[in-house]
């Protein structure tokens, strides 16, 4: 019989899986019920750099980040001039914009996108407000941009931070993510070890390319370069969160461009052997937060062993953005130049 695990929460920058049932899911659902400010209009984000440098008569192409299909009727403002995309999703600029010139994109059905001109990137994707996958604007708010904390680490005093108030957490480097068995896994039961490899495989399948988690192995954890993050898997019942009733914790990427090692800790080998717990915590190392939909792996208390279509879509969309992006869809270069490397 599968032991029902309960809520997962963020505690001081870490996601924590709680033993109490569904408390956090209910709280997030209540927060959603309060309503969010609708940020209609158009979203855009780089779907990947093109290979042709922009010149006079530069053509920008605006596409859906979900389907890669052109978005017609989008309003694109560059250097104070405003243009409307044609049926091919394109606008032709009279002259090449200066590097890092602001670009604002508004389109029905997409989040408002505020980005900058990067000479090699002339194809800009938009983040849908809602999708046939079931993704809603509120899912984006909570899965990507919202912290959820336990006050002083003691349930059930739930405290939900400002919805959409944090930046997108993600590694800057697209180098493969190295995953290591670390403290506590030496001599652990094989099913707990194999379960981590299975969770990594599920995460890779959900990401669908653009970033790969390397299957976990026993090895010394190397130093990480800037923007590069490793993952260390540990079993440590003395971890501070375990004394508070948590069963597992997963660290999200830090804000900004820092490199280092993220830790996923299990409070016993038992919890290390539960697939949906491992998938959830590894999801946090990718940068996912929480959702109120109990069908989602990232829902507190969920026992789902497959990432849903909307979670998969969110991960693909996140990889079209740079770390530091803010809600609804504002490029880091527009608000934090020190984090803007290109």
């Amino acid at each position: 019989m599968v032991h029902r695990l309960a809520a997962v929460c963020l505690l001081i920058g870490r996601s924590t899986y709680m033993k109490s049932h569904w408390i956090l899911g209910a709280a997030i659902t209540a927060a959603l019920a309060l309503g969010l400010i609708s940020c209609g209009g158009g979203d855009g984000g780089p779907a990947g750099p093109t290979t042709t440098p922009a010149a006079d008569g530069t053509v920008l192409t605006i596409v859906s980040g979900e389907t890669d299909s052109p978005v017609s009727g989008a309003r694109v403002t560059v250097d104070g001039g405003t243009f409307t995309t044609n049926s091919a999703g394109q606008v032709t600029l009279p002259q090449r914009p200066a590097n890092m010139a602001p670009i604002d994109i508004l389109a029905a059905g997409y989040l408002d996108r505020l980005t900058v001109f990067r000479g090699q990137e002339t194809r800009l994707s938009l983040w849908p407000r809602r999708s046939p996958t079931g993704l809603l604007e509120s899912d984006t708010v909570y899965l990507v941009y919202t912290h959820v904390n336990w006050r002083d680490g003691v349930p059930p005093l739930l405290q939900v931070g400002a919805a959409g108030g944090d930046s997108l957490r993600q590694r800057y480097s697209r180098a493969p993510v190295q995953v290591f068995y670390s403290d506590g896994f030496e001599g652990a039961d094989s099913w707990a070890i194999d379960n981590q490899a299975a969770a990594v495989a599920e995460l890779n399948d959900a990401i669908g390319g653009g970033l790969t988690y390397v299957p976990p192995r026993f090895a010394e954890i190397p130093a990480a370069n800037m923007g590069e993050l490793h993952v260390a898997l540990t079993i440590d019942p003395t971890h501070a969160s375990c004394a508070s009733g948590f069963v597992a914790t997963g660290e999200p990427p830090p804000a900004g461009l820092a490199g280092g090692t993220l830790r996923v800790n299990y409070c016993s080998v038992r919890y290390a052997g539960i697939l949906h717990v491992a998938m959830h915590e590894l999801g946090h190392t990718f940068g996912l937060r929480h959702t109120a939909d109990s069908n989602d792996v990232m829902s507190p208390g969920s026992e789902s062993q497959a990432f849903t279509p909307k979670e998969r879509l969110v991960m693909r969309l996140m990889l079209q953005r740079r770390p530091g992006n803010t809600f609804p869809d504002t490029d880091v270069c527009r608000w934090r130049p020190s984090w803007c490397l290109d």
Side-chain angles (χ1 to χ4, degrees):
M1 176 178 178
V2 177
H3 177 74
R4 179 177 293 274
L5 298 176
V8 187
C9 66
L10 268 170
L11 173 63
I12 315 178
R14 293 173 172 82
S15 165
T16 54
Y17 218 94
M18 296 296 302
K19 291 179 180 175
S20 54
H21 299 285
W22 307 102
I23 297 174
L24 181 53
I28 294 179
T29 303
L32 291 173
L34 295 176
L36 296 168
I37 296 174
S38 177
C39 297
D43 151 67
T50 62
T51 57
T52 304
D56 290 351
T58 295
V59 176
L60 299 181
T61 302
I62 311 303
V63 300
S64 165
E66 178 177 11
T67 66
D68 203 41
S69 58
V71 176
S72 62
R75 189 175 68 189
V76 182
T77 301
V78 185
D79 274 344
T82 300
F83 312 86
T84 301
T85 57
N86 59 22
S87 59
Q90 296 180 334
V91 296
T92 301
L93 308 180
Q95 60 185 14
R96 184 186 191 279
N99 193 41
M100 295 296 161
I103 300 177
D104 298 353
I105 309 171
L106 307 179
Y110 298 92
L111 298 179
D112 296 345
R113 173 64 177 170
L114 306 182
T115 187
V116 297
F117 181 75
R118 297 172 172 92
Q120 294 289 84
E121 295 183 8
T122 57
R123 187 178 180 88
L124 303 176
S125 69
L126 306 182
W127 192 302
R129 290 183 58 193
R130 59 192 308 138
S131 155
T133 64
L135 178 71
L136 301 175
E137 182 177 332
S138 56
D139 293 313
T140 295
V141 168
Y142 280 94
L143 270 171
V144 183
Y145 296 108
T146 301
H147 269 312
V148 180
N149 300 318
W150 290 95
R151 183 181 296 121
D152 299 325
V154 180
L157 300 178
L158 182 66
Q159 176 178 310
V160 178
D166 196 18
S167 63
L168 183 150
R169 302 294 186 92
Q170 186 181 145
R171 54 196 43 76
Y172 183 83
S173 170
R174 290 293 185 265
V177 180
Q178 306 294 321
V179 184
F180 300 92
Y181 297 112
S182 191
D183 298 343
F185 271 94
E186 305 89 346
D189 293 336
S190 60
W191 53 269
I193 293 173
D194 293 344
N195 187 65
Q196 307 307 306
V200 167
E202 290 291 337
L203 182 60
N204 280 330
D205 181 69
I207 294 171
L211 183 69
T212 300
Y213 278 61
V214 176
R217 66 188 189 276
F218 287 96
E220 183 177 352
I221 302 175
N225 298 318
M226 184 177 69
E228 185 179 61
L229 295 168
H230 306 314
V231 175
L233 306 170
T234 65
I235 302 173
D236 180 9
T238 68
H239 191 276
S241 62
C242 302
S244 299
F246 305 141
V247 303
T249 62
E251 295 178 336
L257 303 173
T261 300
L262 304 177
R263 182 180 182 184
V264 170
N265 182 68
Y266 302 95
C267 293
S268 76
V269 68
R270 171 191 178 189
Y271 300 121
I274 301 176
L275 181 59
H276 65 264
V277 175
M279 290 172 60
H280 182 104
E281 302 305 341
L282 282 169
H284 285 302
T285 70
F286 177 84
L288 293 175
R289 309 303 181 84
H290 292 122
T291 170
D293 186 342
S294 61
N295 294 312
D296 295 334
V297 169
M298 301 311 297
S299 172
S302 170
E303 296 182 2
S304 175
Q305 296 185 4
F307 287 99
T308 59
K310 70 180 176 186
E311 290 175 304
R312 292 167 177 260
L313 174 59
V314 165
M315 284 189 270
R316 286 199 293 114
L317 293 170
M318 288 174 69
L319 289 173
Q320 296 173 22
R321 300 296 183 266
R322 288 166 170 79
N325 209 68
T326 57
F327 184 78
D329 198 0
T330 300
D331 193 288
V332 63
C333 296
R334 296 287 292 266
W335 73 278
R336 182 65 70 87
S338 62
W339 290 356
C340 180
L341 295 185
D342 57 357

